[in-house]
Amino acid sequence: MAAPKPRSGRSTSLRDTSESERMEGAGSWDALEWTKIEPVSRPVSRGNLAFLLEKEEVIVEGYGVVLVNTDEAGTLLVTNFRLLFLSEGTRNIIALGTIPLATIEKFNKPVMKVPSAHRQSDKTPSQRLLQVIGKDMRIIVFSFRPRTKQRRAVFEALLRCTRPARLGDLYAFTSGPSKFSNTNPKVQLLNEYFRLLGKTYHASIDTIEDGSFTSSNEWLRISNVNADYTMCPTYPFAFIVPKCISDEEVLQASNFRARCRLPVVSWCHPGTGAVLARSSQPLVGLMMNMRSNADEKLVAALCTERSGAGGQRRKLYIADARPRKNALANGAMGGGSESSSNYFQSEIVFFGIDNIHAMRDSLARLRDYLDTHGASSSDGMSSFLRHGGWTWGGGNLSSMSASVSTLGDSGWLIHIQSVLAGSAWIAARVALESASVLVHCSDGWDRTTQLVSLASLLLDPYYRTFKGFQALVEKDWLSFGHPFSDRVGMPTIYGSGNMPFDLSRQSSSGGFPSSPMRQSSGSFTSQASGSSHAQNSNNYSPIFLQWVDCVSQLLRMYPLAFEFSSAFLVDFLDCVLSCRFGNFLCNSEKERQQSGVSEVCGCLWEYLADLRASEGNYHVHCNLFYDPLKHGGPLLPPAAALAPTLWPQFHLRWACPSESQAGELEAQCRNMVKKFSELQKWSYTLVQQDAELISDSPFLSFWINELPRFRCP
């Protein structure tokens, strides 16, 4: 996305003026005077909407709308899939002003009233604004023509479309699978299990129906005890357990874990037999004295004999992702953590990673920080980095320090570092000590999934390929029941229920300094507020986004180790947040099966693969520097390397578009390699043509053979 154009009508920031000038100028917004904007006088022709997706329909149109962030005027459309902003002159889609409805976290319609001292008459209307806050780090504001009902129409359309009452009302069900049809997710899961067990055969629908998938190796086996989801509705229909544990013991052990999410194997080392296992917290109770023989036997079975160690059993680490005090507090509700004295050859480690509510608030603070200090702020005014005055080069060190401090106060990078450090520690224990690790948090579907999947990514180079990354996400995130509907903020198969609007919260987080627009000295009120299911549910949290952010940090640290690029991760995350495809709907494998998602919705993976097919290895999703021989084993980053930074391509693309183009150098290299490849093909073609020409001409063949005889001595 190109950098925003300079704003001639707003050359002085409110931050750059004196206090009195700020009081006088607040709310004037001369660039938004409607005498300077010629609104569109005709509706957008339905026949010219070639940019609409299949079965995407326009619901409401607004003309003469201004995107305040960049002062661009155009037409605002609400469709059954997205909020779409078209440039007034070119009719091109403006990316900043276009956002899928499912990606909208909340929206409101504030009113900026112009101070009386600046009014030309008492009849001067107030500014009609619509603020949209996205789950993808953007905060955008549209300004509508006064004395029209366009803003009301758009707002009411957003209320209806961003808050679907039923899962089937989502665009993913309306559009259907089209050409991006799904492969049966159960088949995909079994194929990954077979790979982990060292088997070369492949699963099929028949394999599932006749139950012949219960394969095993020397240590592990696939169990079908949860085939009908009665034991644990949030676990997959099949999972891997130690071979010495019977299905009856599996059922007994499940009763001792929260939500019956018993310890199961997520990954195993093909050489040493060390395993990476996952579960929920044990139900030890307030006095931490409840025990289960079946659970202890199952956990002990993870400590198989070490290969070539003379019968010596491997060590077991139990990694509790929570802070220790949180684990103890859970004891009051029947939960808690294990005691090492009850589990054979084990050591308990606490990682201190905060819960979903802390992550939600942290990302909201980061988003507000980027909006306040970015180049395309939703207040439509310049930031610290823009004109004279409070600039970095201007010498105002206090403002610079305050900004850096604000970034740190968001806590996002600290949380990223905690997840990275915990995952690296787990990977090191498995790779260097041949130890087994059992990971859990409270329910075993948020922090547990982050740690297990990221550690697997570090341990297994297969997961760093396109195909392997898909297998990893489908296994650890989808099959093992990360509640995507709750965390992303979408309805479940049980419907949304009647939930009240959130009328009180106007910024994207409470307690964090809002942007200057929201602190303006002009009268700024919020008439009404709307929010998606994200804000009506206390379970909304960017857990999966945080994990993908961690993957991007590893890609930055090891640019040769991944087949995919950062651009792929951005597009992948956008697809997940948009809910355009069915893969990440619902809260569990069982719910997706009940709703028939894989049959009636399109497949995200097929869509991304289709994009890559157009350009092959030269596509922007492919990592130009990928070298599988360079990092053919585990990645074990030292603690000093785990210093995260903002992910430019994702965090900065809306607020600081020019600074987010971290892939420009890579793009230039990609073009050079592509041209070099084309030259090689052209050279090869010329050689072939010359050879054919010589073979067809006996005269040329004779002289080519005879010429060496006439060389001078």
Side-chain angles (χ1 to χ4, degrees):
M1 178 179 173
K5 298 178 181 179
R7 306 173 190 176
S8 58
R10 197 175 298 141
S11 58
T12 305
S13 167
L14 291 189
R15 302 182 185 92
D16 303 335
T17 57
S18 65
E19 185 63 28
S20 61
E21 290 173 330
R22 281 202 292 268
M23 293 294 291
E24 293 176 0
S28 61
W29 282 22
D30 56 333
L32 293 182
E33 289 181 6
W34 296 107
T35 56
K36 296 184 180 182
I37 296 176
E38 297 181 3
V40 179
S41 58
R42 64 187 186 283
V44 178
S45 172
R46 295 294 197 279
N48 294 330
L49 297 181
F51 43 77
L52 292 182
L53 303 174
E54 184 177 1
K55 297 185 180 179
E56 183 180 12
E57 300 176 354
V58 176
I59 300 173
V60 171
E61 303 175 17
Y63 314 114
V65 179
V66 171
L67 178 59
V68 174
N69 302 61
T70 56
D71 286 353
E72 293 178 271
T75 302
L76 185 65
L77 309 177
V78 179
T79 75
N80 58 339
F81 172 61
R82 53 185 167 170
L83 191 64
L84 214 162
F85 188 64
L86 305 178
S87 170
E88 182 176 324
T90 63
R91 288 297 182 269
N92 292 331
I93 294 178
I94 304 299
L96 176 60
T98 299
I99 180 172
L101 300 178
T103 309
I104 296 175
E105 181 176 317
K106 55 186 173 179
F107 52 92
N108 56 55
K109 48 179 186 178
V111 178
M112 173 71 76
K113 294 184 178 180
V114 180
S116 57
H118 286 268
R119 293 180 181 175
Q120 296 177 354
S121 68
D122 292 338
K123 297 182 180 181
T124 301
S126 58
Q127 302 292 345
R128 299 290 175 176
L129 307 176
L130 175 67
Q131 182 190 56
V132 177
I133 298 174
K135 303 168 189 173
D136 60 351
M137 306 304 295
R138 78 177 103 181
I139 301 178
I140 51 180
V141 173
F142 298 99
S143 187
F144 293 80
R145 297 160 58 194
R147 299 194 181 94
T148 68
K149 297 183 179 180
Q150 291 188 124
R151 183 180 66 158
R152 177 188 298 178
V154 170
F155 183 82
E156 291 177 351
L158 289 177
L159 278 179
R160 296 192 306 271
C161 298
T162 61
R163 298 166 50 86
R166 301 180 302 111
L167 185 67
D169 293 334
L170 292 173
Y171 174 74
F173 286 86
T174 303
S175 62
S178 184
K179 64 178 180 178
F180 308 120
S181 58
N182 276 284
T183 303
N184 189 298
K186 292 185 176 181
V187 173
Q188 299 279 69
L189 179 63
L190 286 179
N191 284 333
E192 177 57 15
Y193 284 167
F194 292 157
R195 187 189 74 88
L196 291 174
L197 295 180
K199 307 300 180 181
T200 57
Y201 43 82
H202 298 281
S204 65
I205 298 296
D206 294 336
T207 307
I208 297 172
E209 292 178 349
D210 61 25
S212 60
F213 56 82
T214 54
S215 181
S216 65
N217 65 10
E218 182 182 355
W219 303 298
L220 307 170
R221 70 179 181 90
I222 301 174
S223 172
N224 64 351
V225 69
N226 197 43
D228 55 1
Y229 305 106
T230 55
M231 185 200 75
C232 180
T234 60
Y235 259 19
F237 78 105
F239 45 73
I240 300 177
V241 293
K243 191 175 182 179
C244 61
I245 302 296
S246 68
D247 283 346
E248 182 179 353
E249 290 171 321
V250 166
L251 290 171
Q252 293 174 1
S254 68
N255 294 323
F256 188 66
R257 294 282 168 168
R259 303 183 187 273
C260 297
R261 295 173 64 89
L262 77 159
V264 296
V265 174
S266 178
W267 184 83
C268 56
H269 195 287
T272 66
V275 302
L276 182 55
R278 59 180 299 166
S279 71
S280 61
Q281 63 180 336
L283 302 179
V284 297
L286 180 60
M287 303 305 295
M288 308 288 285
N289 59 356
M290 301 298 292
R291 297 179 62 176
S292 166
N293 291 333
D295 184 78
E296 291 172 16
K297 181 179 179 181
L298 173 57
V299 173
L302 301 175
C303 304
T304 56
E305 293 182 2
R306 297 176 57 180
S307 301
Q312 181 182 0
R313 297 177 70 88
R314 69 183 75 252
K315 185 172 183 178
L316 171 70
Y317 291 96
I318 299 178
D320 193 324
R322 303 166 294 181
R324 184 187 296 270
K325 62 178 181 180
N326 292 22
L328 295 175
N330 270 275
M333 297 178 287
S337 191
E338 296 86 350
S339 171
S340 59
S341 61
N342 297 334
Y343 291 86
F344 178 79
Q345 217 163 317
S346 66
E347 179 179 338
I348 317 297
V349 181
F350 292 91
F351 285 166
I353 301 174
D354 286 324
N355 61 23
I356 62 172
H357 312 295
M359 302 308 175
R360 177 180 62 236
D361 295 341
S362 176
L363 186 69
R365 289 193 294 267
L366 176 62
R367 181 175 54 205
D368 274 347
Y369 164 80
L370 294 173
D371 181 62
T372 301
H373 301 290
S376 300
S377 177
S378 66
D379 62 5
M381 303 169 189
S382 57
S383 70
F384 288 145
L385 294 175
R386 239 205 248 134
H387 307 296
W390 289 10
T391 60
W392 302 125
N396 194 322
L397 296 179
S398 61
S399 64
M400 185 200 305
S401 300
S403 175
V404 173
S405 175
T406 303
L407 172 61
D409 290 343
S410 74
W412 183 254
L413 296 181
I414 298 298
H415 294 315
I416 293 291
Q417 186 176 34
S418 297
V419 177
L420 283 170
S423 303
W425 186 91
I426 293 170
R429 302 288 74 74
V430 175
L432 301 180
E433 299 180 19
S434 297
S436 291
V437 182
L438 170 62
V439 184
H440 71 73
C441 50
S442 296
D443 294 319
W445 54 37
D446 289 311
R447 289 166 284 191
T448 298
T449 306
Q450 288 180 323
L451 292 169
V452 169
S453 56
L454 203 60
S456 299
L457 193 77
L458 290 168
L459 288 166
D460 196 336
Y462 172 68
Y463 292 140
R464 302 194 286 268
T465 66
F466 283 112
K467 186 177 180 180
F469 185 76
Q470 176 182 345
L472 176 67
V473 172
E474 289 182 331
K475 173 174 63 73
D476 278 316
W477 288 91
L478 293 170
S479 295
F480 278 96
H482 175 69
F484 275 99
S485 282
D486 291 343
R487 297 296 181 262
V488 177
M490 283 291 106
T492 67
I493 61 172
Y494 308 109
S496 60
N498 295 319
M499 294 175 287
F501 296 152
D502 180 3
L503 298 176
S504 58
R505 300 179 64 185
Q506 294 182 25
S507 66
S508 59
S509 71
F512 188 79
S514 57
S515 70
M517 170 180 162
R518 292 182 285 273
Q519 296 175 338
S520 172
S521 57
S523 177
F524 182 77
T525 61
S526 178
Q527 289 186 338
S529 168
S531 56
S532 69
H533 294 271
Q535 288 303 301
N536 287 313
S537 170
N538 199 36
N539 292 323
Y540 165 68
S541 187
I543 298 300
F544 188 68
L545 185 157
Q546 186 178 56
W547 180 77
V548 178
D549 194 341
C550 290
V551 176
S552 77
Q553 304 290 338
L554 294 177
L555 177 57
R556 174 181 58 82
M557 285 186 269
Y558 300 99
L560 306 182
F562 294 81
E563 185 181 15
F564 47 83
S565 66
S566 182
F568 166 78
L569 294 177
V570 172
D571 289 347
F572 167 65
L573 194 52
D574 282 345
C575 287
V576 173
L577 295 176
S578 74
C579 295
R580 178 182 172 184
F581 304 98
N583 306 73
F584 293 84
L585 300 180
C586 304
N587 285 328
S588 65
E589 180 183 280
K590 177 185 177 182
E591 290 186 8
R592 280 184 288 276
Q593 178 176 298
Q594 290 177 333
S595 60
V597 164
S598 61
E599 291 82 20
V600 300
C601 298
C603 177
L604 176 152
W605 307 107
E606 290 296 320
Y607 168 73
L608 294 175
D610 185 70
L611 292 179
R612 295 195 300 273
S614 61
E615 298 181 48
N617 293 334
Y618 301 110
H619 193 271
V620 67
H621 287 178
C622 299
N623 181 6
L624 183 66
F625 309 108
Y626 176 55
D627 184 358
L629 299 179
K630 181 73 173 179
H631 297 288
L635 303 177
L636 302 175
L642 299 175
T645 65
L646 288 179
W647 180 12
Q649 293 92 329
F650 185 79
H651 290 139
L652 302 181
R653 58 175 168 162
W654 305 121
C656 306
S658 297
E659 288 71 26
S660 70
Q661 303 303 318
E664 285 186 353
L665 180 60
E666 181 180 341
Q668 293 180 14
C669 292
R670 192 184 308 276
N671 290 333
M672 292 175 61
V673 171
K674 188 174 182 180
K675 290 179 179 178
F676 179 73
S677 177
E678 291 173 352
L679 286 173
Q680 282 184 316
K681 292 179 181 179
W682 179 68
S683 176
Y684 178 77
T685 301
L686 289 180
V687 171
Q688 289 291 101
Q689 291 175 351
D690 290 345
E692 292 174 1
L693 180 63
I694 292 172
S695 63
D696 292 340
S697 175
F699 178 76
L700 286 176
S701 299
F702 170 79
W703 279 108
I704 289 175
N705 292 328
E706 293 296 323
L707 277 176
R709 297 174 53 190
F710 296 96
R711 287 181 180 172
C712 296

